[in-house]
Amino acid sequence: MAIDAAARRGDFPILSRRVHDAPLVYLDSAASAQKPERVLAAVDAFYRGHYANVHRGAHTLSAEATAHYEAARVRVARFLNAPSERSVVFVRNATEGINLVAHAWGRQALHAGDEIVLTVAEHHANLVPWHLLAAERGAVIRGVPLGSDQRVDMEALAAAIGPRTKLVATFHLSNVLGVVNPVARIAELAHAVGALFLVDGAQAAPHLPIDVQALGADAYVFSGHKVGAPSGIGALWVREPLLRDWPPFLGGGEMIRTVEVDRSTYADIPMRFEAGTPAIAEAVGLHAALDYLDDLGLAAIWDHDRALARYAIGRLRALDGVTLYGPEGDDRGGIVPFNVADVHPHDVASALDARGVAVRAGHHCAQPLMRALGVRSTVRASFWLHTTRADIDLLVEAIEEVRDFFGAVA
Amino acid sequence: MAIDAAARRGDFPILSRRVHDAPLVYLDSAASAQKPERVLAAVDAFYRGHYANVHRGAHTLSAEATAHYEAARVRVARFLNAPSERSVVFVRNATEGINLVAHAWGRQALHAGDEIVLTVAEHHANLVPWHLLAAERGAVIRGVPLGSDQRVDMEALAAAIGPRTKLVATFHLSNVLGVVNPVARIAELAHAVGALFLVDGAQAAPHLPIDVQALGADAYVFSGHKVGAPSGIGALWVREPLLRDWPPFLGGGEMIRTVEVDRSTYADIPMRFEAGTPAIAEAVGLHAALDYLDDLGLAAIWDHDRALARYAIGRLRALDGVTLYGPEGDDRGGIVPFNVADVHPHDVASALDARGVAVRAGHHCAQPLMRALGVRSTVRASFWLHTTRADIDLLVEAIEEVRDFFGAVA
Amino acid sequence: MGFLDQIYRDAVLEHARSPRNRGALDPYSVKQEGINPSCGDELVLYLLVRDGVVEDARFAGHGCAISQASASMMTQAVKGRAIAEVETLIAHFKAMIHGKGADPSLGDLVVLEGISKLHARVKCATLAWVTLDAALAAEAAGQRAGQVSVDEGSDGSA
Amino acid sequence: MGFLDQIYRDAVLEHARSPRNRGALDPYSVKQEGINPSCGDELVLYLLVRDGVVEDARFAGHGCAISQASASMMTQAVKGRAIAEVETLIAHFKAMIHGKGADPSLGDLVVLEGISKLHARVKCATLAWVTLDAALAAEAAGQRAGQVSVDEGSDGSA
Ligand SMILES: Cc1ncc(COP(=O)(O)O)c(C=O)c1O
Ligand SMILES: Cc1ncc(COP(=O)(O)O)c(C=O)c1O
């Protein structure tokens, strides 16, 4: 079933809002997705009917809340096609998931001179945790450049991976270039040298079918807020035999087996990695969001996304003075960065906002990539299942007016 | 204004629920608080009207979401009477707040042989992070016992604090004993040797007025879910000159200044400690919850709490075969642990649950305290602003039936 | 207390009050500790296994009526059975306690079926069985002692 | 685009297109870098301070129309003023941009007041001023260079 985006708009209450007297055209889904009614309703019903702390109480509400929370874990495992929910850990967001790996795995596995392979197109979330870890452990980071086609340079990647490589960490779908990384191929390269392979799925999760087993990932992270779930929840999946061996990261209630005043022993997975009261209602919301996406079908969403990308790229390319970034092809989803000649991206974004069109401007938490593209920042329009061609037409119209309005402002 | 608990019941949608055909009597607020309508409405309205990612976009929704999020930070500062919101960091829960201190402060400040002073009455959240840290840094943990009155033994505490003490970390209100710790006095002892003084305010925040300056705390943590806010949010406050000097903990977007593929520099406080997309709507919910509490008045809530504790202790003491724990006095809030002779706490809790009365049974994430009390576990009834004397009467009635039902089961 | 009666059936209360096979076993082939971290309850299970048969089983430790009754009935049920049979019994018990119905081979153990409706207490009922499972694994691996948590080997119904 | 016109007033666009006092200053007493981490824009501000007076001010760097216009107008406004006067001006500018009204002493700078309504862009307008503030502090401390982020010295209206 193809996505009927115009009909889907009705699923998102906020899309009926007006901004500066214009109807809202939300083209910032890559920063954070809006929430379908179904998610809001699920969270609200949970608080009104079943809320309590989890894993703790001997009473009905607590048992119900625990069942809801653990059902969400099973749901995430299914969404990722993970073999078991035992190695699904709830975190705040993709960022925390990556930091968890850096601490629990990295602080014991990395030694001086060991190497971490990253690409210049990573989000800061998949750079900074490794900077902090490398500084502590004396490890070396190898940055892989883009090829001339603005995809990750696979030859350079293969060359960067060597006998000292302990980790390869890269994105599944780029939050700027909109392109899918050949993850399964990278997994082979990483595994050939025995390195851990972590995939940052923050942008892929809302857009593509994910199968962590087919991808060959050892660890996979994503954020709930980008898939239409509430803020404050995300998930980390790690291959089970690996996760079982990692020491704890955060300490506190729920993750223990026995505690004395000066020492403790720790619970088995996944509890070992979930210290304290978790984001309970947020997990329930994540469950509802994944149901919503799977009902529509990730394959259909990905088709819709790519069709919109082709349409938008075609229309924007026809505009004088607009520069587009990112590759074209069947591996290109609906994230479209561009610049307007002689107008700063922030001014473009404000001018679009004045017409109700919400886009992002800046470095998109990808400063190294900006440098690789030879820019300081870009405008970025990003699409999702509720985005229509009409939205893109409004974007194009608004960009035309921007040029008129600003004339040449350096 | 005194708290009219019967009227307040109407503020909490879940309290009209029935459990096993009986009206719900929720006496597990210490594990997690139920949510007032006002909080649910604030979160829902935010998602329907103003949601977007924060600190990132140049469009209206993003600016509105950022204003909401930052207003919540200002609100938390006011709730704690902190001098500035700049040193309020949003975290998932109290547990993460304590772990943040252990990592950002502890990993650079602690050296082999340095000492950490804790009490046996701490929640695991205020024990395990220090176990992990001490193991890494070669530090020594000194556990302070209870006195014969089941309060922290202040003489032993004073004796445990010495020239090698680098940290004193203790609770404000005990999650088991229901007693307030003399925090300001402990602050003096800690500061006399130049130690950092961290206060675990997880139980205090829903029940007492908090003034971090008057308490002399260097760091104070609490969880949103215990004050009627959504799950997935909490706050850490740290005295500003201290926090400003701490290195980052989690790495990622938002907490950086500049990023290259192999190194980064970091933002100023509080952003330095908030990597990735935060719990945005949850912060909005926390704001609403703190408004709700301050409108009622924390001083009034504390009076209500203590009056309920006196009433409950009086009634339970009159029951044969019921053992109560925790001190009595003006420093005792509405957390009442007890055991029923010859019936295991879990069986008591299930029997109460069958009558709609929700209590917790177990070690309450305080295993060292259980040992100190000479028990393996207890039942715990805990009260909040919606708890009435009628609720306590139902509890007492149900306990009487428990004894009849089980007879003597060891 | 109609609901309670379904959980705490007379036979359950009777086993809880007068547990069978309580205490240590000597000699034993494996001694396995099982703990429930959420409440701190612990069980110590002793098995004497010879020629693929559980010749004797006893248990010690502390726990609620449900965990004690479950352990008591379990030790009765496994004594004298072949390991393969015991493994089938474990599977059937776990299925029952997770609400998937009671296999006839469970015999008297069906009085514990009601607990499947009391999610908060399922772990109390399974503690003895998870410990038994781990004890058999330890025995097969030639170990004489071990520790297991009831959270382990979760099957998604945690 | 009525809303836009209130923000990008003619004078603002004119300053953005033809910024005054652009480029490096030599000699200078302090060179202060200011950055906006959320977009990566940077400004380098040069001041020549003598006998408590800002004798000259120039700026370099990259930024949007608002940040460039703000820097251009700021350098014009501070030249020749005593440090105490400049500090008052900074305070008045920050008050205006945070929606607390425009003090008459701001003169031409009032054309930037509309930006107070565009929360997402307030930091663009304040970048030059935060940098100026830091430059004066550096100068007072006898330093010749520094770096500051526009997130610093937040007053709760981040
Ligand atoms: C005294 C105390 N400290 C810390 C915590 C941990 O709170 P959370 O689980 O929300 O992190 C709790 C709550 O369980 C508590 O009662
Ligand atoms: C590719 C990529 N990775 C990681 C992240 C970080 O996600 P979050 O901020 O939810 O942790 C993002 C989103 O901003 C992203 O686009």
Side-chain angles (χ1 to χ4, degrees), chain A residues 56 276-277, chain B residues 30-31 93-96 123 125 171 173-175 200 202-203 223 225-226:
Chain A
R56 293 191 176 190
T277 303
Chain B
N93 48 28
T95 301
E96 192 192 18
H123 187 280
F171 61 90
L173 179 66
S174 163
N175 69 313
D200 170 4
Q203 291 297 339
S223 291
H225 71 91
K226 292 195 205 269

PDB file of all heavy atoms in Angstrom, chain A residues 56 276-277, chain B residues 30-31 93-96 123 125 171 173-175 200 202-203 223 225-226, ligand 1:
ATOM      1  N   ARG A  56       8.638  -3.284  40.542  1.00  0.00           N
ATOM      2  CA  ARG A  56       8.882  -3.029  41.941  1.00  0.00           C
ATOM      3  C   ARG A  56       7.734  -3.487  42.811  1.00  0.00           C
ATOM      4  O   ARG A  56       7.914  -3.984  43.889  1.00  0.00           O
ATOM      5  CB  ARG A  56       9.036  -1.520  42.181  1.00  0.00           C
ATOM      6  CG  ARG A  56      10.260  -0.976  41.531  1.00  0.00           C
ATOM      7  CD  ARG A  56      10.523   0.435  42.021  1.00  0.00           C
ATOM      8  NE  ARG A  56      11.784   0.907  41.451  1.00  0.00           N
ATOM      9  CZ  ARG A  56      12.415   1.996  41.798  1.00  0.00           C
ATOM     10  NH1 ARG A  56      11.894   2.767  42.733  1.00  0.00           N
ATOM     11  NH2 ARG A  56      13.546   2.340  41.244  1.00  0.00           N
ATOM     12  N   GLY A 276      17.575   2.934  37.834  1.00  0.00           N
ATOM     13  CA  GLY A 276      16.576   3.922  38.228  1.00  0.00           C
ATOM     14  C   GLY A 276      15.261   3.744  37.505  1.00  0.00           C
ATOM     15  O   GLY A 276      15.116   2.880  36.645  1.00  0.00           O
ATOM     16  N   THR A 277      14.324   4.581  37.858  1.00  0.00           N
ATOM     17  CA  THR A 277      12.997   4.517  37.246  1.00  0.00           C
ATOM     18  C   THR A 277      13.101   4.936  35.787  1.00  0.00           C
ATOM     19  O   THR A 277      13.552   6.035  35.490  1.00  0.00           O
ATOM     20  CB  THR A 277      12.044   5.463  38.004  1.00  0.00           C
ATOM     21  OG1 THR A 277      12.035   5.080  39.377  1.00  0.00           O
ATOM     22  CG2 THR A 277      10.640   5.380  37.425  1.00  0.00           C
TER      23      THR A 277
ATOM     24  N   ALA B  30       5.515   6.834  47.140  1.00  0.00           N
ATOM     25  CA  ALA B  30       6.971   6.929  47.284  1.00  0.00           C
ATOM     26  C   ALA B  30       7.677   6.205  46.142  1.00  0.00           C
ATOM     27  O   ALA B  30       8.800   6.566  45.777  1.00  0.00           O
ATOM     28  CB  ALA B  30       7.420   6.356  48.629  1.00  0.00           C
ATOM     29  N   ALA B  31       7.043   5.196  45.566  1.00  0.00           N
ATOM     30  CA  ALA B  31       7.642   4.529  44.405  1.00  0.00           C
ATOM     31  C   ALA B  31       7.479   5.406  43.179  1.00  0.00           C
ATOM     32  O   ALA B  31       8.437   5.652  42.445  1.00  0.00           O
ATOM     33  CB  ALA B  31       6.999   3.157  44.176  1.00  0.00           C
ATOM     34  N   ASN B  93      16.296  10.979  35.736  1.00  0.00           N
ATOM     35  CA  ASN B  93      15.761  10.707  37.072  1.00  0.00           C
ATOM     36  C   ASN B  93      16.867  11.016  38.089  1.00  0.00           C
ATOM     37  O   ASN B  93      17.991  11.348  37.708  1.00  0.00           O
ATOM     38  CB  ASN B  93      15.311   9.234  37.166  1.00  0.00           C
ATOM     39  CG  ASN B  93      16.378   8.275  36.630  1.00  0.00           C
ATOM     40  OD1 ASN B  93      17.568   8.573  36.677  1.00  0.00           O
ATOM     41  ND2 ASN B  93      15.946   7.130  36.122  1.00  0.00           N
ATOM     42  N   ALA B  94      16.521  10.892  39.352  1.00  0.00           N
ATOM     43  CA  ALA B  94      17.511  11.163  40.397  1.00  0.00           C
ATOM     44  C   ALA B  94      18.742  10.286  40.206  1.00  0.00           C
ATOM     45  O   ALA B  94      19.885  10.726  40.397  1.00  0.00           O
ATOM     46  CB  ALA B  94      16.886  10.910  41.777  1.00  0.00           C
ATOM     47  N   THR B  95      18.513   9.053  39.824  1.00  0.00           N
ATOM     48  CA  THR B  95      19.612   8.107  39.628  1.00  0.00           C
ATOM     49  C   THR B  95      20.625   8.644  38.626  1.00  0.00           C
ATOM     50  O   THR B  95      21.840   8.610  38.869  1.00  0.00           O
ATOM     51  CB  THR B  95      19.049   6.760  39.129  1.00  0.00           C
ATOM     52  OG1 THR B  95      18.121   6.273  40.097  1.00  0.00           O
ATOM     53  CG2 THR B  95      20.146   5.751  38.886  1.00  0.00           C
ATOM     54  N   GLU B  96      20.138   9.116  37.483  1.00  0.00           N
ATOM     55  CA  GLU B  96      21.080   9.626  36.487  1.00  0.00           C
ATOM     56  C   GLU B  96      21.798  10.865  37.011  1.00  0.00           C
ATOM     57  O   GLU B  96      22.983  11.070  36.731  1.00  0.00           O
ATOM     58  CB  GLU B  96      20.384   9.945  35.164  1.00  0.00           C
ATOM     59  CG  GLU B  96      21.412  10.180  34.055  1.00  0.00           C
ATOM     60  CD  GLU B  96      20.849  10.772  32.773  1.00  0.00           C
ATOM     61  OE1 GLU B  96      19.740  11.326  32.794  1.00  0.00           O
ATOM     62  OE2 GLU B  96      21.547  10.684  31.753  1.00  0.00           O
ATOM     63  N   HIS B 123      19.212   4.957  49.489  1.00  0.00           N
ATOM     64  CA  HIS B 123      18.633   4.214  48.361  1.00  0.00           C
ATOM     65  C   HIS B 123      19.784   3.705  47.501  1.00  0.00           C
ATOM     66  O   HIS B 123      20.840   4.345  47.432  1.00  0.00           O
ATOM     67  CB  HIS B 123      17.754   5.187  47.571  1.00  0.00           C
ATOM     68  CG  HIS B 123      16.938   4.570  46.478  1.00  0.00           C
ATOM     69  ND1 HIS B 123      17.448   4.263  45.242  1.00  0.00           N
ATOM     70  CD2 HIS B 123      15.629   4.213  46.434  1.00  0.00           C
ATOM     71  CE1 HIS B 123      16.496   3.751  44.487  1.00  0.00           C
ATOM     72  NE2 HIS B 123      15.377   3.702  45.181  1.00  0.00           N
ATOM     73  N   ALA B 125      20.290   4.027  44.579  1.00  0.00           N
ATOM     74  CA  ALA B 125      20.711   5.076  43.638  1.00  0.00           C
ATOM     75  C   ALA B 125      21.841   5.921  44.210  1.00  0.00           C
ATOM     76  O   ALA B 125      22.632   6.504  43.457  1.00  0.00           O
ATOM     77  CB  ALA B 125      19.525   5.972  43.288  1.00  0.00           C
ATOM     78  N   PHE B 171      20.607  11.197  51.841  1.00  0.00           N
ATOM     79  CA  PHE B 171      19.219  11.499  51.480  1.00  0.00           C
ATOM     80  C   PHE B 171      18.703  12.696  52.267  1.00  0.00           C
ATOM     81  O   PHE B 171      19.189  12.998  53.363  1.00  0.00           O
ATOM     82  CB  PHE B 171      18.344  10.277  51.776  1.00  0.00           C
ATOM     83  CG  PHE B 171      18.337   9.888  53.232  1.00  0.00           C
ATOM     84  CD1 PHE B 171      17.389  10.441  54.096  1.00  0.00           C
ATOM     85  CD2 PHE B 171      19.270   8.998  53.736  1.00  0.00           C
ATOM     86  CE1 PHE B 171      17.380  10.090  55.446  1.00  0.00           C
ATOM     87  CE2 PHE B 171      19.262   8.653  55.096  1.00  0.00           C
ATOM     88  CZ  PHE B 171      18.322   9.207  55.946  1.00  0.00           C
ATOM     89  N   LEU B 173      14.993  13.023  52.525  1.00  0.00           N
ATOM     90  CA  LEU B 173      13.910  12.320  53.227  1.00  0.00           C
ATOM     91  C   LEU B 173      14.086  10.837  52.887  1.00  0.00           C
ATOM     92  O   LEU B 173      14.198  10.488  51.717  1.00  0.00           O
ATOM     93  CB  LEU B 173      12.555  12.831  52.721  1.00  0.00           C
ATOM     94  CG  LEU B 173      11.291  12.200  53.327  1.00  0.00           C
ATOM     95  CD1 LEU B 173      11.154  12.526  54.811  1.00  0.00           C
ATOM     96  CD2 LEU B 173      10.038  12.695  52.596  1.00  0.00           C
ATOM     97  N   SER B 174      14.096   9.980  53.902  1.00  0.00           N
ATOM     98  CA  SER B 174      14.338   8.551  53.664  1.00  0.00           C
ATOM     99  C   SER B 174      13.136   7.894  52.997  1.00  0.00           C
ATOM    100  O   SER B 174      11.998   8.094  53.414  1.00  0.00           O
ATOM    101  CB  SER B 174      14.627   7.836  54.984  1.00  0.00           C
ATOM    102  OG  SER B 174      14.475   6.436  54.814  1.00  0.00           O
ATOM    103  N   ASN B 175      13.421   7.075  51.979  1.00  0.00           N
ATOM    104  CA  ASN B 175      12.331   6.410  51.261  1.00  0.00           C
ATOM    105  C   ASN B 175      11.790   5.210  52.026  1.00  0.00           C
ATOM    106  O   ASN B 175      10.840   4.577  51.576  1.00  0.00           O
ATOM    107  CB  ASN B 175      12.784   5.973  49.861  1.00  0.00           C
ATOM    108  CG  ASN B 175      13.800   4.848  49.888  1.00  0.00           C
ATOM    109  OD1 ASN B 175      14.753   4.926  50.647  1.00  0.00           O
ATOM    110  ND2 ASN B 175      13.599   3.819  49.091  1.00  0.00           N
ATOM    111  N   ASP B 200      20.420  13.667  48.056  1.00  0.00           N
ATOM    112  CA  ASP B 200      19.461  12.903  47.265  1.00  0.00           C
ATOM    113  C   ASP B 200      18.066  13.342  47.694  1.00  0.00           C
ATOM    114  O   ASP B 200      17.564  12.914  48.734  1.00  0.00           O
ATOM    115  CB  ASP B 200      19.692  11.412  47.525  1.00  0.00           C
ATOM    116  CG  ASP B 200      18.586  10.547  46.949  1.00  0.00           C
ATOM    117  OD1 ASP B 200      17.684  11.081  46.277  1.00  0.00           O
ATOM    118  OD2 ASP B 200      18.635   9.317  47.170  1.00  0.00           O
ATOM    119  N   ALA B 202      15.195  12.797  46.159  1.00  0.00           N
ATOM    120  CA  ALA B 202      14.130  12.097  45.438  1.00  0.00           C
ATOM    121  C   ALA B 202      12.831  12.036  46.236  1.00  0.00           C
ATOM    122  O   ALA B 202      11.748  12.227  45.685  1.00  0.00           O
ATOM    123  CB  ALA B 202      14.591  10.691  45.053  1.00  0.00           C
ATOM    124  N   GLN B 203      12.917  11.782  47.535  1.00  0.00           N
ATOM    125  CA  GLN B 203      11.693  11.699  48.339  1.00  0.00           C
ATOM    126  C   GLN B 203      11.286  13.037  48.930  1.00  0.00           C
ATOM    127  O   GLN B 203      10.111  13.251  49.241  1.00  0.00           O
ATOM    128  CB  GLN B 203      11.850  10.670  49.465  1.00  0.00           C
ATOM    129  CG  GLN B 203      11.936   9.233  49.013  1.00  0.00           C
ATOM    130  CD  GLN B 203      10.670   8.743  48.304  1.00  0.00           C
ATOM    131  OE1 GLN B 203       9.589   9.298  48.447  1.00  0.00           O
ATOM    132  NE2 GLN B 203      10.837   7.692  47.507  1.00  0.00           N
ATOM    133  N   SER B 223      13.648  13.428  41.127  1.00  0.00           N
ATOM    134  CA  SER B 223      12.997  12.802  39.971  1.00  0.00           C
ATOM    135  C   SER B 223      11.648  13.446  39.722  1.00  0.00           C
ATOM    136  O   SER B 223      10.858  13.623  40.658  1.00  0.00           O
ATOM    137  CB  SER B 223      12.725  11.321  40.253  1.00  0.00           C
ATOM    138  OG  SER B 223      13.915  10.600  40.302  1.00  0.00           O
ATOM    139  N   HIS B 225       9.097  12.020  38.180  1.00  0.00           N
ATOM    140  CA  HIS B 225       7.966  11.090  38.313  1.00  0.00           C
ATOM    141  C   HIS B 225       7.462  11.004  39.742  1.00  0.00           C
ATOM    142  O   HIS B 225       6.328  10.572  39.967  1.00  0.00           O
ATOM    143  CB  HIS B 225       8.328   9.697  37.781  1.00  0.00           C
ATOM    144  CG  HIS B 225       9.288   8.941  38.632  1.00  0.00           C
ATOM    145  ND1 HIS B 225       8.882   8.098  39.632  1.00  0.00           N
ATOM    146  CD2 HIS B 225      10.639   8.924  38.658  1.00  0.00           C
ATOM    147  CE1 HIS B 225       9.950   7.578  40.219  1.00  0.00           C
ATOM    148  NE2 HIS B 225      11.030   8.070  39.647  1.00  0.00           N
ATOM    149  N   LYS B 226       8.271  11.399  40.720  1.00  0.00           N
ATOM    150  CA  LYS B 226       7.809  11.343  42.107  1.00  0.00           C
ATOM    151  C   LYS B 226       7.091  12.624  42.538  1.00  0.00           C
ATOM    152  O   LYS B 226       6.526  12.679  43.625  1.00  0.00           O
ATOM    153  CB  LYS B 226       8.979  11.066  43.054  1.00  0.00           C
ATOM    154  CG  LYS B 226       9.555   9.653  42.879  1.00  0.00           C
ATOM    155  CD  LYS B 226      10.451   9.252  44.034  1.00  0.00           C
ATOM    156  CE  LYS B 226      11.460   8.207  43.656  1.00  0.00           C
ATOM    157  NZ  LYS B 226      11.006   6.831  43.855  1.00  0.00           N
TER     158      LYS B 226
HETATM  159  C1  LIG E   1      15.583   8.294  48.347  1.00  0.00           C
HETATM  160  C2  LIG E   1      15.582   7.904  46.915  1.00  0.00           C
HETATM  161  N1  LIG E   1      16.660   8.165  46.168  1.00  0.00           N
HETATM  162  C3  LIG E   1      16.708   7.864  44.861  1.00  0.00           C
HETATM  163  C4  LIG E   1      15.650   7.254  44.241  1.00  0.00           C
HETATM  164  C5  LIG E   1      15.788   6.914  42.792  1.00  0.00           C
HETATM  165  O1  LIG E   1      14.841   7.590  42.031  1.00  0.00           O
HETATM  166  P1  LIG E   1      14.727   7.234  40.488  1.00  0.00           P
HETATM  167  O2  LIG E   1      14.416   5.783  40.399  1.00  0.00           O
HETATM  168  O3  LIG E   1      13.599   8.078  40.033  1.00  0.00           O
HETATM  169  O4  LIG E   1      16.010   7.594  39.869  1.00  0.00           O
HETATM  170  C6  LIG E   1      14.489   6.985  44.973  1.00  0.00           C
HETATM  171  C7  LIG E   1      13.296   6.377  44.362  1.00  0.00           C
HETATM  172  O5  LIG E   1      13.127   5.224  44.155  1.00  0.00           O
HETATM  173  C8  LIG E   1      14.465   7.298  46.336  1.00  0.00           C
HETATM  174  O6  LIG E   1      13.384   7.033  47.076  1.00  0.00           O
END
